């Protein structure tokens, strides 16, 4: 009987030990998952921050070129600069081509952000501060480019690290508002973290399709 009791005690001890090990591994797996989620959120926020930096740089460059275009346009009405008119015309065309090139370069810069995946950026490629007509820039009489007064962009982030991926998928909404200056234009930005429950709601709400 003593041997039976000793054997039963040993079996119970083994079961408790196995349960203890299972709990440890479960907690380790949960901690690892939480760490991956934190890393994913951090990477996602850095992605959106760097995208905003690119927009800031784009606004500034286009705005500076606008100053040059306006200067060339009004300079041609001064009698002393009449003989420079042909050069001003070519100069203005060159600046307009440069604005178009910078517009395409903006998309390239967004796509090459290390912390961003293509799916995060695709929504930004449909429009930009100069509007939805990617192949054409709207211009004023003085040939300067026209910024959109208000525009909105979406950055979807689809977490695929576990079965709980839908609970950690979200969209960052960027709302831009033009700030017109006497010389240079700038923008104000309102960003919002949107987290619908599940990928299907992300698709339905924003009309987005994940790859």
């Amino acid at each position: 009987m003593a041997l039976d009791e000793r054997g039963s005690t040993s079996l119970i001890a083994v079961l408790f030990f196995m349960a203890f090990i299972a709990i440890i591994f479960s907690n380790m797996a949960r901690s690892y998952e939480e760490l991956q989620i934190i890393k994913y959120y951090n990477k996602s926020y850095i992605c959106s921050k760097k995208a905003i930096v690119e927009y800031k740089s784009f606004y500034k460059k286009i705005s500076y070129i606008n100053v040059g275009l306006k200067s060339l346009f009004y300079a041609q009405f001064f009698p002393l600069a009449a003989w420079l008119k042909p050069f001003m015309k070519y100069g203005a065309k060159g600046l307009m081509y440069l604005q178009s090139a910078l517009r395409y370069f903006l998309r390239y810069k967004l796509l090459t952000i290390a912390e961003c995946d293509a799916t995060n950026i695709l929504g930004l490629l449909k429009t930009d501060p100069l509007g939805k007509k990617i192949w054409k820039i709207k211009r004023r009489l003085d040939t300067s480019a026209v910024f959109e007064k208000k525009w909105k962009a979406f950055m979807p982030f689809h977490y695929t690290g576990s079965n709980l991926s839908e609970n950690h998928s979200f969209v960052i909404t960027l709302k831009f508002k033009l700030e017109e200056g006497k010389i240079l234009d700038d923008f104000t930005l309102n960003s919002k973290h949107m987290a619908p429950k599940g990928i299907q709601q992300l698709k339905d709400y924003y009309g987005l399709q994940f790859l």
Side-chain angles (χ1 to χ4, degrees):
M1 185 180 293
L3 290 174
D4 290 342
E5 289 180 355
R6 194 176 297 114
S8 298
T9 303
S10 298
L11 179 61
I12 293 172
V14 169
L15 291 175
F16 271 111
F17 179 74
M18 291 178 64
F20 179 71
I21 293 298
I23 291 172
I24 290 176
F25 276 103
S26 176
N27 288 335
M28 288 176 63
R30 190 179 299 110
S31 298
Y32 178 78
E33 173 69 13
E34 290 175 354
L35 177 61
Q36 296 307 306
I37 292 170
I38 291 171
K39 286 183 177 179
Y40 179 77
Y41 274 86
N42 186 55
K43 178 184 174 184
S44 302
Y45 292 140
I46 292 175
C47 167
S48 60
K49 182 178 180 179
K50 288 190 175 182
I52 293 168
V53 169
E54 293 300 334
Y55 281 120
K56 182 77 175 179
S57 175
F58 180 77
Y59 266 100
K60 185 178 292 185
K61 290 173 182 176
I62 298 298
S63 190
Y64 274 121
I65 296 173
N66 273 348
V67 173
L69 286 168
K70 291 177 182 178
S71 299
L72 289 174
F73 177 80
Y74 290 109
Q76 65 181 326
F77 297 107
F78 286 90
L80 294 177
W83 65 279
L84 290 174
K85 193 171 182 179
F87 300 99
M88 292 179 184
K89 183 179 179 180
Y90 288 118
K93 281 188 176 181
L95 291 178
M96 286 188 280
Y97 285 136
L98 179 57
Q99 285 183 328
S100 297
L102 288 172
R103 199 179 190 194
Y104 287 107
F105 189 62
L106 169 66
R107 283 158 175 74
Y108 169 76
K109 292 286 285 182
L110 292 173
L111 285 170
T112 55
I113 296 174
E115 290 78 10
C116 297
D117 297 328
T119 51
N120 309 144
I121 301 298
L122 287 179
L124 304 181
L125 305 183
K126 299 176 182 178
T127 186
D128 62 34
L130 298 178
K132 293 183 177 180
K133 293 183 178 181
I134 307 303
W135 60 92
K136 186 177 181 181
I137 296 177
K138 186 178 180 181
R139 298 188 179 278
R140 299 184 180 87
L141 180 63
D142 58 15
T143 71
S144 61
V146 178
F147 286 113
E148 292 287 297
K149 292 188 179 296
K150 292 182 181 179
W151 67 285
K152 184 163 53 176
F154 300 109
M155 299 185 72
F157 295 90
H158 182 194
Y159 181 71
T160 57
S162 71
N163 295 328
L164 299 176
S165 60
E166 293 191 357
N167 296 334
H168 300 291
S169 296
F170 58 94
V171 168
I172 293 180
T173 305
L174 306 176
K175 292 183 179 179
F176 296 83
K177 184 179 179 181
L178 180 65
E179 292 288 330
E180 294 184 354
K182 293 182 179 180
I183 299 177
L184 299 176
D185 294 328
D186 205 343
F187 70 92
T188 56
L189 171 69
N190 176 30
S191 60
K192 189 175 183 181
H193 180 287
M194 303 291 290
K197 296 179 180 178
I199 298 303
Q200 191 57 48
Q201 280 185 274
L202 287 174
K203 291 180 179 179
D204 294 342
Y205 192 79
Y206 294 101
L208 299 170
Q209 294 296 322
F210 293 100
L211 298 177

